[in-house]
Short mmCIF file of all heavy atoms in Angstrom, two decimals:
data_model
loop_
_atom_site.label_atom_id
_atom_site.label_comp_id
_atom_site.label_asym_id
_atom_site.label_seq_id
_atom_site.Cartn_x
_atom_site.Cartn_y
_atom_site.Cartn_z
N MET A 931 24.90 -7.56 27.08
CA MET A 931 23.59 -7.99 26.59
C MET A 931 23.08 -6.96 25.58
O MET A 931 23.05 -5.78 25.84
CB MET A 931 22.59 -8.11 27.73
CG MET A 931 21.19 -8.51 27.31
SD MET A 931 20.10 -8.73 28.73
CE MET A 931 20.12 -7.08 29.43
N SER A 932 22.69 -7.40 24.40
CA SER A 932 22.18 -6.50 23.37
C SER A 932 20.69 -6.68 23.20
O SER A 932 20.14 -7.75 23.48
CB SER A 932 22.89 -6.76 22.04
OG SER A 932 22.63 -8.06 21.59
N VAL A 933 20.03 -5.63 22.74
CA VAL A 933 18.60 -5.65 22.49
C VAL A 933 18.37 -5.57 21.00
O VAL A 933 18.98 -4.75 20.31
CB VAL A 933 17.89 -4.48 23.19
CG1 VAL A 933 16.42 -4.46 22.87
CG2 VAL A 933 18.11 -4.56 24.69
N THR A 934 17.50 -6.42 20.47
CA THR A 934 17.25 -6.47 19.05
C THR A 934 16.03 -5.62 18.69
O THR A 934 14.92 -5.93 19.10
CB THR A 934 16.98 -7.92 18.58
OG1 THR A 934 18.09 -8.72 18.99
CG2 THR A 934 16.80 -7.98 17.08
N PRO A 935 16.23 -4.53 17.93
CA PRO A 935 15.07 -3.75 17.49
C PRO A 935 14.23 -4.57 16.52
O PRO A 935 14.75 -5.41 15.79
CB PRO A 935 15.70 -2.54 16.78
CG PRO A 935 17.13 -2.52 17.20
CD PRO A 935 17.49 -3.96 17.48
N ASP A 936 12.93 -4.31 16.50
CA ASP A 936 12.05 -4.98 15.56
C ASP A 936 12.05 -4.19 14.26
O ASP A 936 11.63 -3.03 14.22
CB ASP A 936 10.62 -5.05 16.12
CG ASP A 936 9.73 -5.94 15.31
OD1 ASP A 936 9.88 -5.95 14.07
OD2 ASP A 936 8.88 -6.63 15.91
N PRO A 937 12.54 -4.78 13.14
CA PRO A 937 12.64 -4.03 11.89
C PRO A 937 11.29 -3.59 11.34
O PRO A 937 11.21 -2.70 10.51
CB PRO A 937 13.32 -5.03 10.94
CG PRO A 937 13.02 -6.37 11.51
CD PRO A 937 13.00 -6.16 12.99
N ALA A 938 10.18 -4.22 11.81
CA ALA A 938 8.86 -3.86 11.31
C ALA A 938 8.32 -2.59 11.97
O ALA A 938 7.31 -2.05 11.55
CB ALA A 938 7.88 -5.01 11.53
N PHE A 939 9.00 -2.10 13.01
CA PHE A 939 8.51 -0.93 13.73
C PHE A 939 8.71 0.32 12.90
O PHE A 939 9.80 0.61 12.42
CB PHE A 939 9.22 -0.79 15.07
CG PHE A 939 8.80 0.43 15.84
CD1 PHE A 939 7.48 0.57 16.24
CD2 PHE A 939 9.70 1.43 16.15
CE1 PHE A 939 7.08 1.68 16.96
CE2 PHE A 939 9.31 2.53 16.87
CZ PHE A 939 8.00 2.67 17.28
N ASP A 940 7.66 1.07 12.71
CA ASP A 940 7.69 2.28 11.92
C ASP A 940 7.78 3.47 12.85
O ASP A 940 6.81 3.81 13.53
CB ASP A 940 6.41 2.36 11.06
CG ASP A 940 6.36 3.63 10.23
OD1 ASP A 940 7.40 4.28 10.08
OD2 ASP A 940 5.24 3.95 9.75
N GLU A 941 8.93 4.13 12.91
CA GLU A 941 9.12 5.23 13.84
C GLU A 941 8.48 6.50 13.29
O GLU A 941 9.14 7.40 12.79
CB GLU A 941 10.61 5.44 14.13
CG GLU A 941 11.22 4.30 14.92
CD GLU A 941 12.58 4.67 15.45
OE1 GLU A 941 12.66 5.54 16.33
OE2 GLU A 941 13.57 4.10 14.99
N THR A 942 7.17 6.57 13.38
CA THR A 942 6.40 7.70 12.92
C THR A 942 5.57 8.23 14.08
O THR A 942 5.47 7.58 15.13
CB THR A 942 5.47 7.28 11.76
OG1 THR A 942 4.70 6.16 12.18
CG2 THR A 942 6.29 6.89 10.54
N PRO A 943 4.95 9.40 13.95
CA PRO A 943 4.25 10.00 15.08
C PRO A 943 3.14 9.14 15.68
O PRO A 943 2.79 9.33 16.84
CB PRO A 943 3.68 11.29 14.46
CG PRO A 943 4.64 11.64 13.38
CD PRO A 943 5.06 10.32 12.80
N GLN A 944 2.58 8.20 14.88
CA GLN A 944 1.50 7.40 15.47
C GLN A 944 2.04 6.37 16.48
O GLN A 944 1.27 5.67 17.11
CB GLN A 944 0.68 6.69 14.39
CG GLN A 944 1.42 5.62 13.61
CD GLN A 944 1.92 6.14 12.28
OE1 GLN A 944 2.26 7.32 12.17
NE2 GLN A 944 1.97 5.29 11.28
N HIS A 945 3.35 6.28 16.61
CA HIS A 945 3.95 5.38 17.60
C HIS A 945 4.82 6.20 18.56
O HIS A 945 6.04 6.07 18.57
CB HIS A 945 4.83 4.33 16.91
CG HIS A 945 4.11 3.49 15.92
ND1 HIS A 945 3.04 2.72 16.25
CD2 HIS A 945 4.32 3.32 14.60
CE1 HIS A 945 2.61 2.08 15.18
NE2 HIS A 945 3.36 2.44 14.17
N PRO A 946 4.24 7.07 19.37
CA PRO A 946 5.06 7.92 20.25
C PRO A 946 5.83 7.10 21.27
O PRO A 946 5.28 6.21 21.89
CB PRO A 946 4.01 8.83 20.94
CG PRO A 946 2.74 8.04 20.89
CD PRO A 946 2.79 7.26 19.60
N HIS A 947 7.09 7.43 21.44
CA HIS A 947 7.93 6.70 22.39
C HIS A 947 7.37 6.79 23.81
O HIS A 947 7.52 5.87 24.61
CB HIS A 947 9.35 7.27 22.35
CG HIS A 947 10.12 6.81 21.15
ND1 HIS A 947 11.27 7.42 20.76
CD2 HIS A 947 9.88 5.84 20.26
CE1 HIS A 947 11.74 6.82 19.67
NE2 HIS A 947 10.91 5.86 19.34
N ALA A 948 6.72 7.91 24.14
CA ALA A 948 6.23 8.09 25.50
C ALA A 948 5.19 7.06 25.88
O ALA A 948 4.98 6.79 27.06
CB ALA A 948 5.62 9.49 25.65
N ALA A 949 4.53 6.46 24.89
CA ALA A 949 3.47 5.50 25.18
C ALA A 949 3.96 4.06 25.10
O ALA A 949 3.16 3.14 25.23
CB ALA A 949 2.30 5.71 24.22
N VAL A 950 5.24 3.85 24.89
CA VAL A 950 5.76 2.49 24.79
C VAL A 950 5.59 1.76 26.12
O VAL A 950 5.82 2.33 27.19
CB VAL A 950 7.24 2.50 24.38
CG1 VAL A 950 7.89 1.14 24.58
CG2 VAL A 950 7.37 2.92 22.92
N ARG A 951 5.15 0.51 26.03
CA ARG A 951 4.97 -0.32 27.22
C ARG A 951 6.00 -1.45 27.19
O ARG A 951 6.19 -2.08 26.17
CB ARG A 951 3.56 -0.91 27.25
CG ARG A 951 2.44 0.11 27.22
CD ARG A 951 1.09 -0.59 27.17
NE ARG A 951 0.00 0.36 27.11
CZ ARG A 951 -0.51 0.85 26.00
NH1 ARG A 951 -0.04 0.45 24.82
NH2 ARG A 951 -1.51 1.72 26.03
N ILE A 952 6.59 -1.73 28.33
CA ILE A 952 7.49 -2.88 28.45
C ILE A 952 6.71 -4.04 29.05
O ILE A 952 6.01 -3.89 30.05
CB ILE A 952 8.71 -2.53 29.31
CG1 ILE A 952 9.64 -1.58 28.55
CG2 ILE A 952 9.48 -3.81 29.71
CD1 ILE A 952 10.84 -1.11 29.35
N GLY A 953 6.82 -5.18 28.42
CA GLY A 953 6.23 -6.40 28.94
C GLY A 953 7.32 -7.42 29.21
O GLY A 953 8.28 -7.52 28.43
N ILE A 954 7.18 -8.16 30.29
CA ILE A 954 8.18 -9.16 30.67
C ILE A 954 7.47 -10.48 30.96
O ILE A 954 6.46 -10.50 31.66
CB ILE A 954 8.99 -8.73 31.91
CG1 ILE A 954 9.69 -7.39 31.67
CG2 ILE A 954 10.01 -9.80 32.29
CD1 ILE A 954 10.34 -6.81 32.91
N ASP A 955 8.00 -11.54 30.41
CA ASP A 955 7.51 -12.89 30.70
C ASP A 955 8.61 -13.62 31.46
O ASP A 955 9.63 -14.01 30.88
CB ASP A 955 7.17 -13.62 29.40
CG ASP A 955 6.60 -15.01 29.64
OD1 ASP A 955 6.25 -15.31 30.79
OD2 ASP A 955 6.51 -15.79 28.67
N LEU A 956 8.40 -13.77 32.76
CA LEU A 956 9.40 -14.43 33.61
C LEU A 956 9.08 -15.92 33.66
O LEU A 956 8.22 -16.36 34.42
CB LEU A 956 9.38 -13.81 35.02
CG LEU A 956 10.27 -14.46 36.09
CD1 LEU A 956 11.71 -14.54 35.64
CD2 LEU A 956 10.14 -13.70 37.40
N GLY A 957 9.75 -16.69 32.83
CA GLY A 957 9.51 -18.12 32.76
C GLY A 957 10.50 -18.91 33.59
O GLY A 957 11.45 -18.37 34.16
N GLY A 958 10.30 -20.21 33.64
CA GLY A 958 11.17 -21.07 34.43
C GLY A 958 12.53 -21.26 33.82
O GLY A 958 13.51 -21.51 34.52
N THR A 959 12.63 -21.14 32.49
CA THR A 959 13.91 -21.34 31.82
C THR A 959 14.40 -20.10 31.09
O THR A 959 15.59 -19.97 30.83
CB THR A 959 13.82 -22.49 30.80
OG1 THR A 959 12.77 -22.20 29.85
CG2 THR A 959 13.50 -23.80 31.49
N LYS A 960 13.50 -19.17 30.73
CA LYS A 960 13.92 -17.97 30.03
C LYS A 960 13.09 -16.77 30.50
O LYS A 960 11.96 -16.92 30.99
CB LYS A 960 13.75 -18.11 28.52
CG LYS A 960 12.31 -18.20 28.06
CD LYS A 960 12.18 -18.18 26.56
CE LYS A 960 10.74 -18.39 26.11
NZ LYS A 960 9.82 -17.32 26.59
N ILE A 961 13.68 -15.59 30.34
CA ILE A 961 12.97 -14.34 30.54
C ILE A 961 12.92 -13.64 29.18
O ILE A 961 13.95 -13.47 28.53
CB ILE A 961 13.68 -13.41 31.54
CG1 ILE A 961 13.91 -14.10 32.88
CG2 ILE A 961 12.88 -12.13 31.74
CD1 ILE A 961 14.76 -13.29 33.85
N GLU A 962 11.71 -13.28 28.75
CA GLU A 962 11.57 -12.49 27.53
C GLU A 962 11.03 -11.12 27.92
O GLU A 962 10.12 -11.01 28.74
CB GLU A 962 10.63 -13.15 26.53
CG GLU A 962 10.48 -12.33 25.25
CD GLU A 962 9.66 -13.00 24.17
OE1 GLU A 962 8.98 -13.99 24.50
OE2 GLU A 962 9.68 -12.53 23.04
N ALA A 963 11.61 -10.09 27.33
CA ALA A 963 11.15 -8.73 27.56
C ALA A 963 10.98 -8.04 26.22
O ALA A 963 11.79 -8.22 25.31
CB ALA A 963 12.15 -7.96 28.43
N VAL A 964 9.90 -7.26 26.10
CA VAL A 964 9.65 -6.52 24.86
C VAL A 964 9.26 -5.10 25.19
O VAL A 964 8.75 -4.80 26.27
CB VAL A 964 8.53 -7.17 24.01
CG1 VAL A 964 8.88 -8.60 23.64
CG2 VAL A 964 7.18 -7.10 24.72
N ALA A 965 9.48 -4.22 24.22
CA ALA A 965 8.90 -2.89 24.23
C ALA A 965 7.83 -2.90 23.15
O ALA A 965 8.07 -3.31 22.02
CB ALA A 965 9.96 -1.84 23.93
N MET A 966 6.61 -2.46 23.52
CA MET A 966 5.47 -2.55 22.62
C MET A 966 4.86 -1.19 22.40
O MET A 966 4.62 -0.43 23.34
CB MET A 966 4.42 -3.51 23.18
CG MET A 966 3.31 -3.86 22.21
SD MET A 966 2.19 -5.14 22.89
CE MET A 966 1.22 -4.15 24.04
N ALA A 967 4.59 -0.86 21.12
CA ALA A 967 3.94 0.40 20.76
C ALA A 967 2.44 0.33 21.09
O ALA A 967 1.91 -0.76 21.33
CB ALA A 967 4.15 0.67 19.27
N PRO A 968 1.76 1.46 21.09
CA PRO A 968 0.34 1.47 21.46
C PRO A 968 -0.55 0.57 20.61
O PRO A 968 -1.57 0.09 21.09
CB PRO A 968 -0.05 2.95 21.29
CG PRO A 968 1.21 3.70 21.47
CD PRO A 968 2.28 2.83 20.90
N ASN A 969 -0.17 0.34 19.36
CA ASN A 969 -1.01 -0.49 18.48
C ASN A 969 -0.66 -1.97 18.56
O ASN A 969 -1.20 -2.77 17.80
CB ASN A 969 -0.89 -0.01 17.04
CG ASN A 969 0.50 -0.25 16.44
OD1 ASN A 969 1.43 -0.59 17.17
ND2 ASN A 969 0.63 -0.05 15.15
N GLY A 970 0.24 -2.35 19.48
CA GLY A 970 0.61 -3.75 19.64
C GLY A 970 1.84 -4.16 18.88
O GLY A 970 2.30 -5.30 18.99
N THR A 971 2.43 -3.26 18.10
CA THR A 971 3.66 -3.56 17.39
C THR A 971 4.83 -3.66 18.37
O THR A 971 4.98 -2.81 19.25
CB THR A 971 3.97 -2.46 16.35
OG1 THR A 971 2.90 -2.36 15.43
CG2 THR A 971 5.26 -2.78 15.60
N LEU A 972 5.63 -4.71 18.22
CA LEU A 972 6.80 -4.86 19.08
C LEU A 972 7.95 -4.01 18.56
O LEU A 972 8.37 -4.16 17.41
CB LEU A 972 7.21 -6.33 19.18
CG LEU A 972 6.16 -7.27 19.78
CD1 LEU A 972 6.76 -8.67 19.97
CD2 LEU A 972 5.62 -6.74 21.10
N VAL A 973 8.45 -3.14 19.39
CA VAL A 973 9.52 -2.22 19.02
C VAL A 973 10.88 -2.90 19.17
O VAL A 973 11.78 -2.75 18.34
CB VAL A 973 9.47 -0.97 19.92
CG1 VAL A 973 10.59 -0.01 19.56
CG2 VAL A 973 8.12 -0.30 19.81
N ALA A 974 11.06 -3.65 20.25
CA ALA A 974 12.32 -4.34 20.51
C ALA A 974 12.04 -5.50 21.45
O ALA A 974 11.02 -5.52 22.14
CB ALA A 974 13.35 -3.39 21.12
#
């Protein structure tokens, strides 16, 4: 299983990795998971 990075994510100090939040949507047919930066930008 591979994870797709979000090309719009700007890896600069205002997006510290330590503050990344993982969100998961457990649906009936699919599971979506994301890593989200503090400003709401999706990292992957």
Side-chain angles (χ1 to χ4, degrees):
M931 178 176 61
S932 63
V933 177
T934 305
D936 190 323
F939 178 61
D940 178 16
E941 291 193 67
T942 53
Q944 66 261 32
H945 302 300
H947 284 165
V950 167
R951 303 177 181 89
I952 288 176
I954 302 172
D955 182 12
L956 175 55
T959 57
K960 68 173 175 62
I961 305 173
E962 181 175 13
V964 301
M966 190 174 77
N969 67 349
T971 301
L972 298 187
V973 180

